[in-house]
Amino acid sequence: MSSQTPYKVLCVCLGNICRSPTAEVVLRHFCDKQQLNIVIDSAGTSNYHPNKAPDGRSQQHALKRGYDLSTLRARQLKAQDFIDFDLILAMDHENLFNIEALLTQVQTEYGVSQIRAKIALMSEYDQTYLKQALPDPYYGGEDGFERVLDQCESSSLAWVTIFKQQFKQQTDVK
Ligand code: 4NP
């Protein structure tokens, strides 16, 4: 990553209306706070809610912590995302599996050399929730939405540490 070209991160869950929009805004908040040149987006492995705003419960709980999700709109993960993004973060293991399956198809169709994205769990380096799923809050109660926020904040802080190390290494070898 150069100082001009932003590093691009895509957060992915199932519906793109609860977990990944929350992850997008929380991760952006912590990256911006550290003035990291990173662009963040989100998508869903399903196309259940195309162009929908985030779930009202996700919006309400996020807003209580100062995160505004209102302008986001859901979209499905697509082949071009593996070409455009540097890092795709899966919110749980099922989505990780489905992202990897789509990656295999995209590699076959476009060629391995076209693929830019690395794939990892949102919780990959988070010592508090290490490699744990971000539980789907959609069919559950209010506490599920708070858990999503707690875990997104914790995992985002862990990613910021990783990104700072990556950026530093790249600056050092210049
Ligand atoms: P998300 O939650 O994957 O965190 O956006 C869900 C939203 C909708 C559905 C499932 C999960 N749904 O089945 O419609």
Side-chain angles (χ1 to χ4, degrees):
M1 71 196 97
S2 76
S3 55
Q4 278 88 35
T5 313
Y7 186 77
K8 294 184 73 178
V9 181
L10 185 66
C11 301
V12 177
C13 63
L14 178 62
N16 192 210
I17 57 166
C18 296
R19 291 166 293 175
S20 61
T22 304
E24 175 186 339
V25 169
V26 172
L27 184 58
R28 183 179 296 125
H29 168 78
F30 286 106
C31 287
D32 287 354
K33 212 169 155 184
Q34 296 293 324
Q35 297 182 304
L36 296 172
N37 187 20
I38 300 183
V39 166
I40 301 159
D41 192 6
S42 64
T45 51
S46 80
N47 201 27
Y48 293 162
H49 304 277
N51 232 23
K52 288 274 165 63
D55 186 287
R57 296 164 296 173
S58 292
Q59 290 200 48
Q60 279 168 15
H61 284 269
L63 206 52
K64 283 197 283 178
R65 299 192 194 193
Y67 303 113
D68 180 5
L69 309 188
S70 64
T71 59
L72 304 184
R73 295 294 177 266
R75 71 169 180 89
Q76 188 171 25
L77 179 67
K78 56 184 191 286
Q80 190 66 32
D81 290 326
F82 294 91
I83 295 162
D84 290 343
F85 284 86
D86 296 284
L87 180 64
I88 296 179
L89 296 178
M91 299 300 119
D92 65 21
H93 302 82
E94 194 180 353
N95 283 294
L96 180 67
F97 180 87
N98 290 329
I99 294 163
E100 283 172 344
L102 183 57
L103 170 63
T104 305
Q105 288 176 32
V106 177
Q107 281 174 337
T108 308
E109 202 172 324
Y110 292 79
V112 174
S113 64
Q114 294 298 307
I115 309 298
R116 184 185 187 88
K118 298 262 184 293
I119 301 169
L121 281 169
M122 182 71 189
S123 58
E124 194 79 31
Y125 299 106
D126 181 349
Q127 294 307 314
T128 307
Y129 299 99
L130 195 61
K131 301 195 179 181
Q132 291 181 37
L134 185 58
D136 185 351
Y138 190 68
Y139 294 106
E142 302 292 307
D143 54 340
F145 292 88
E146 288 298 316
R147 164 72 187 258
V148 167
L149 283 156
D150 289 343
Q151 201 168 326
C152 281
E153 287 180 333
S154 179
S155 296
S156 293
L157 282 167
W159 276 111
V160 163
T161 303
I162 299 291
F163 294 148
K164 283 167 82 175
Q165 283 167 5
Q166 276 184 28
F167 278 46
K168 186 177 182 308
Q169 275 165 15
Q170 297 207 349
T171 313
D172 289 349
V173 292
K174 266 187 195 160

